[in-house]
Amino acid sequence: MRDLYQQIAELSPDQRALFEKRLQQKGLSSVKISRISQRKDSDSLPLSFAQQRLWFIQQLDPDNSAYNVFSALRIQGQLNVAVLEQTFTEIVRRHETLRTTFTTNASGEPIQVITPPQPVTLPIMDLTEVSNLEEEVHQLIVKEAQQPFDLTKPLLRLTLVRLDAAEHVLLLTVHHIICDRWSMGIFVREMKALYEAFVNSKPSPLPELPIQYPDWAIWQRQWLQGQVLEEQLNYWQKQLQGNLPVLKLPSDRPRPVVPTYQGSQQSLVLSKPLSDAVKDLSKKEGVTLFTLLLTAFNILLCKYTHQDDIIVGTDIANRNRVETEGLIGFLINTLVLRTSLSGNPSFRELLHRVREVMQGAYAHQDLPFEKLVEELNPERTLSQMTPLFQVKFDLQLAQVEPPELSGLTVIPLAFDNGTAKFELRFNLSDTEQGITGLVEYSTDLFNDSTITRMVQHFQTLLSGIVANPEQRLEELPLLS
């Protein structure tokens, strides 16, 4: 995901000036999101556009755990459980979204219900007497990650697993409808700051939040009307006009009538020399790393499908206002990126096509994906996992680091929760060691060996690109 500053870096000077002018014309520079005065927890609060989509998905498939956001942390050292409970109690108090459940009003419309703050008591599972400890922990992690939520009940689950007196595993599960990746970073930072303060008998060092998530959801619906909505819609309707292509990736099995959301993951690692070469080329061409990698991904899809009209989804943080920077909630937005690869262009030519697509998308990023789907009303079948696009490409520039708790060593545990929200998703990260990431895929469609080959093809393709970016699309290699 990319924040506003990284997105603006994609724009040319003229486009940046136009973008800033449009912001001023819309009054965005002076727009403030305000706390709704005298709002009571029992009020009927509308869902955000993004929440509304996930609520609908959950109604169709209540046992769906694909939208669980899960973390497991191994904590080594003398953990103060009472202080950890105090820490979580304060985080949950600070963020209304962590106390939010969902129901329907008299008209049958979904609403948010915020419960009053309550002390958090950590359930503790004692495994000190278990012989096959690591196997038991792994089974617990998988079971917890795949346990679905009931949206009418609390959507945050915390469990502390005791391995011995000086070693624990913390399991944290939250539904995506109240949390996104950026939020997990906020949760971790607050956990670190609060535990450090409380373990030393100090008060919370964190300032009160200027707004809560329901304030943003209400503001979003009030602001996205009239000229603002019309300008956003006009761009996307033009960009996505005509018959939208359905990506026809060759699969090992036909699409099921109804997707099961069962999936798996494989790692993708570019060598340090290749990673450096890719980054150097992006700088030389004056584009971001994301734009270059997305261009390569488009070429990979084109070669696999023999289609030259490609649509890919990607996420943006959608936190371009100061009031939302420290807010836990589901603010993320999805952009639909449509690129023409027709005419057998060189990689360099295609790179600049993709940059233009990105520039237009960033300048019109405020339209929620859910609102776009509603307005376009594309023809859909139950076999499609998501509307408008089938595959996703993301580059994480801001990593969620494990909290450095006072006197403790905290190690994140890797796992595969066995689900996939899309047919195929490349989720990469730019790290000091190089470009790495995960490829998430639907096991309804693909065998593990198919994805392994795809990863190898992507690596070979990037090697060919950095070796000679003037090669045309048909000349770029997939095989070494």
Side-chain angles (χ1 to χ4, degrees):
M1 278 178 291
R2 297 159 301 286
D3 62 24
L4 182 64
Y5 303 104
Q6 293 157 344
Q7 295 161 29
I8 291 176
E10 296 272 2
L11 303 178
S12 68
D14 290 343
Q15 289 166 326
R16 189 178 299 119
L18 178 61
F19 180 68
E20 292 171 353
K21 181 179 179 181
R22 287 179 176 176
L23 289 179
Q24 293 172 358
Q25 289 174 343
K26 297 175 184 179
L28 295 187
S29 57
S30 60
V31 168
K32 298 295 181 184
I33 307 173
S34 302
R35 176 84 170 162
I36 299 174
S37 62
Q38 299 179 340
R39 173 164 59 78
K40 298 178 181 179
D41 289 344
S42 59
D43 287 345
S44 294
L45 299 171
L47 278 59
S48 68
F49 291 106
Q51 284 182 323
Q52 191 167 306
R53 177 171 63 94
L54 289 198
W55 180 87
F56 182 71
I57 290 173
Q58 203 73 12
Q59 306 313 299
L60 292 176
D61 186 6
D63 294 328
N64 183 0
S65 61
Y67 289 93
N68 286 8
V69 180
F70 177 79
S71 294
L73 301 174
R74 186 184 291 267
I75 303 175
Q76 298 171 334
Q78 297 300 319
L79 176 66
N80 190 321
V81 177
V83 168
L84 190 60
E85 289 179 331
Q86 184 184 6
T87 296
F88 290 139
T89 296
E90 176 61 11
I91 294 175
V92 172
R93 182 202 68 79
R94 285 171 51 77
H95 297 276
E96 288 182 354
T97 187
L98 298 178
R99 297 183 272 116
T100 298
T101 59
F102 298 84
T103 187
T104 53
N105 59 20
S107 302
E109 298 174 345
I111 56 172
Q112 302 185 57
V113 178
I114 302 169
T115 59
Q118 298 290 336
V120 172
T121 301
L122 274 174
I124 299 178
M125 185 171 294
D126 196 325
L127 299 184
T128 55
E129 303 298 326
V130 174
S131 56
N132 54 339
L133 191 58
E134 293 303 320
E135 181 182 345
E136 186 70 20
V137 169
H138 176 73
Q139 291 177 355
L140 278 175
I141 287 175
V142 173
K143 181 179 179 181
E144 172 59 30
Q146 294 181 347
Q147 179 66 29
F149 280 100
D150 179 347
L151 298 188
T152 65
K153 297 178 180 178
L155 299 176
L156 169 66
R157 292 197 300 257
L158 295 163
T159 302
L160 190 64
V161 183
R162 178 178 290 132
L163 308 184
D164 59 42
E167 189 163 19
H168 297 77
V169 173
L170 176 67
L171 307 181
L172 187 156
T173 317
V174 62
H175 196 284
H176 197 13
I177 199 169
I178 62 168
C179 183
D180 55 24
R181 181 178 173 83
W182 186 289
S183 299
M184 292 304 296
I186 296 169
F187 193 102
V188 163
R189 290 196 299 271
E190 294 196 355
M191 180 180 169
K192 174 184 177 181
L194 292 170
Y195 186 90
E196 178 75 27
F198 294 159
V199 81
N200 291 297
S201 302
K202 295 180 179 179
S204 167
L206 302 177
E208 287 298 313
L209 296 166
I211 64 168
Q212 293 288 338
Y213 185 84
D215 303 316
W216 178 83
I218 292 171
W219 171 87
Q220 181 193 44
R221 289 184 175 275
Q222 292 174 343
W223 175 74
L224 198 64
Q225 299 181 37
Q227 182 181 357
V228 173
L229 177 60
E230 183 179 354
E231 289 183 1
Q232 294 278 326
L233 275 175
N234 286 344
Y235 168 80
W236 289 108
Q237 287 173 336
K238 181 179 179 180
Q239 186 72 8
L240 301 175
Q241 65 183 335
N243 295 324
L244 296 181
V246 176
L247 198 66
K248 298 175 182 177
L249 280 171
S251 60
D252 298 297
R253 287 169 293 280
R255 286 179 177 82
V257 175
V258 178
T260 67
Y261 293 93
Q262 293 178 356
S264 188
Q265 298 175 350
Q266 289 191 32
S267 62
L268 188 157
V269 180
L270 302 186
S271 67
K272 188 67 164 60
L274 179 56
S275 296
D276 291 342
V278 168
K279 295 176 189 179
D280 289 344
L281 181 59
S282 70
K283 293 176 183 177
K284 181 180 179 181
E285 295 298 324
V287 300
T288 63
L289 178 60
F290 174 80
T291 300
L292 191 145
L293 290 171
L294 175 63
T295 304
F297 186 63
N298 276 325
I299 294 172
L300 181 73
L301 298 176
C302 175
K303 286 181 174 290
Y304 264 69
T305 63
H306 304 290
Q307 296 173 255
D308 59 14
D309 188 1
I310 303 290
I311 295 181
V312 175
T314 192
D315 285 339
I316 56 169
N318 199 27
R319 292 171 184 265
N320 48 16
R321 290 173 173 81
V322 67
E323 296 93 338
T324 61
E325 288 181 357
L327 196 61
I328 291 178
F330 186 19
L331 283 84
I332 191 174
N333 194 19
T334 300
L335 300 180
V336 183
L337 308 176
R338 186 180 190 179
T339 305
S340 170
L341 288 80
S342 62
N344 190 28
S346 69
F347 174 79
R348 182 168 279 131
E349 291 171 356
L350 184 58
L351 183 64
H352 293 283
R353 287 188 198 178
V354 173
R355 183 173 63 178
E356 289 182 5
V357 170
M358 295 306 308
Q359 290 168 347
Y362 285 154
H364 300 86
Q365 64 174 285
D366 288 306
L367 186 71
F369 173 74
E370 297 73 23
K371 189 67 175 175
L372 176 62
V373 174
E374 177 186 321
E375 293 293 333
L376 293 179
N377 192 24
E379 183 178 349
R380 293 191 62 186
T381 65
L382 289 175
S383 64
Q384 289 181 323
M385 298 177 72
T386 187
L388 301 183
F389 63 90
Q390 289 76 52
V391 299
K392 212 154 169 283
F393 186 89
D394 291 311
L395 177 66
Q396 310 293 346
L397 298 177
Q399 299 301 304
V400 178
E401 299 295 337
E404 299 175 0
L405 300 183
S406 180
L408 301 170
T409 300
V410 182
I411 305 170
L413 299 180
F415 66 95
D416 182 350
N417 65 3
T419 65
K421 296 186 286 291
F422 308 94
E423 293 183 9
L424 178 70
R425 181 193 183 200
F426 274 42
N427 186 21
L428 305 185
S429 297
D430 181 15
T431 71
E432 293 181 358
Q433 294 73 36
I435 298 169
T436 66
L438 292 172
V439 177
E440 178 186 290
Y441 54 98
S442 168
T443 50
D444 287 344
L445 302 177
F446 302 110
N447 292 332
D448 297 346
S449 58
T450 299
I451 301 303
T452 300
R453 286 195 301 272
M454 184 181 292
V455 168
Q456 294 169 347
H457 291 162
F458 186 66
Q459 294 168 328
T460 302
L461 178 62
L462 283 171
S463 296
I465 286 169
V466 297
N468 181 8
E470 284 297 337
Q471 290 181 92
R472 295 197 173 273
L473 189 152
E474 292 180 0
E475 301 167 344
L476 285 166
L478 292 185
L479 299 175
S480 61

